[in-house]
């Protein structure tokens, strides 16, 4: 990712977010749950149902009139549920719609799974290093606890 704006893309199918076309823009209503990095985002890329199509909207943070419900995750980051109630957007907020959006969301899901796997692999590796260091340095009965047979397996 390059640039200065942080725009988390919520890649799940837009079951809970609906858009309606107006003469001069769109109205979005519904909820999007578990948006990572949303507390620090400059805006949001939100998929929504627009008629029979899936559409992708850019929603700058400063123009959003939404309720943000944050919850802390195990790793210390936050996930946010965004709730929109008849929020109006200019026509320019629509990035794309139809098959191109569906393909982009599918690809985003694939890449997010890969990124999550890499993150969790690195996390597991670091936890293992910390555990080994603890086993080497923690003393019990005058010996490192890693020297006890039960902890060597």
């Amino acid at each position: 990712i390059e640039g200065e704006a942080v725009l988390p893309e919520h890649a799940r199918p837009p079951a809970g977010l609906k858009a309606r076309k107006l003469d001069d823009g769109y109205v979005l209503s519904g909820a999007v749950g578990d948006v990572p990095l949303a507390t620090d985002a400059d805006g949001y890329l939100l998929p929504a149902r627009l008629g029979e199509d899936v559409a992708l909207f850019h929603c700058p943070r400063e123009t959003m009139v939404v309720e943000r419900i944050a919850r802390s995750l195990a790793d210390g980051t936050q996930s946010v549920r965004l709730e929109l109630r008849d929020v109006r957007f200019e026509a320019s907020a629509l990035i794309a719609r139809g098959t191109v959006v569906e393909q982009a969301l599918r690809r985003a899901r694939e890449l997010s799974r890969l990124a999550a796997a890499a993150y969790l692999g690195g996390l597991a590796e670091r936890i293992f290093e910390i555990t080994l260091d603890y086993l080497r340095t923690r003393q019990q009965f005058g010996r490192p606890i890693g020297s006890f047979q039960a902890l060597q397996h």
Side-chain angles (χ1 to χ4, degrees):
I1 298 176
E2 293 183 14
E4 296 183 22
V6 177
L7 298 170
E9 185 277 324
H10 191 275
R12 290 189 182 154
L17 196 56
K18 308 272 188 258
R20 266 186 355 261
K21 177 78 171 106
L22 301 174
D23 290 337
D24 59 346
Y26 298 90
V27 171
L28 274 71
S29 293
V32 180
D34 295 323
V35 180
L37 305 173
T39 54
D40 299 319
D42 297 315
Y44 309 95
L45 296 178
L46 299 174
R49 283 276 167 213
L50 179 59
E52 294 297 316
D53 290 335
V54 177
L56 188 64
F57 291 88
H58 173 240
C59 305
R61 183 181 181 95
E62 65 273 4
T63 63
M64 294 291 288
V65 183
V66 301
E67 185 173 353
R68 294 173 188 88
I69 303 166
R71 67 181 178 100
S72 295
L73 302 177
D75 66 356
T77 61
Q78 287 195 323
S79 178
V80 173
R81 176 180 169 84
L82 301 174
E83 293 187 4
L84 292 79
R85 294 182 194 96
D86 295 325
V87 179
R88 297 175 75 96
F89 294 97
E90 295 179 7
S92 62
L94 177 66
I95 296 172
R97 67 187 290 180
T99 306
V100 67
V101 173
E102 292 172 10
Q103 291 171 347
L105 292 176
R106 190 175 309 113
R107 181 75 173 136
R109 280 191 296 275
E110 292 168 359
L111 292 173
S112 68
R113 289 179 185 128
L114 181 61
Y119 171 76
L120 292 172
L123 185 63
E125 185 176 323
R126 181 64 183 130
I127 290 169
F128 186 62
E129 290 170 1
I130 291 169
T131 301
L132 289 178
D133 185 55
Y134 180 80
L135 291 173
R136 287 185 202 106
T137 58
R138 171 76 165 92
Q139 298 280 318
Q140 187 67 35
F141 307 115
R143 302 179 6 202
I145 63 170
S147 67
F148 296 109
Q149 184 176 1
L151 298 176
Q152 292 178 356
H153 300 286

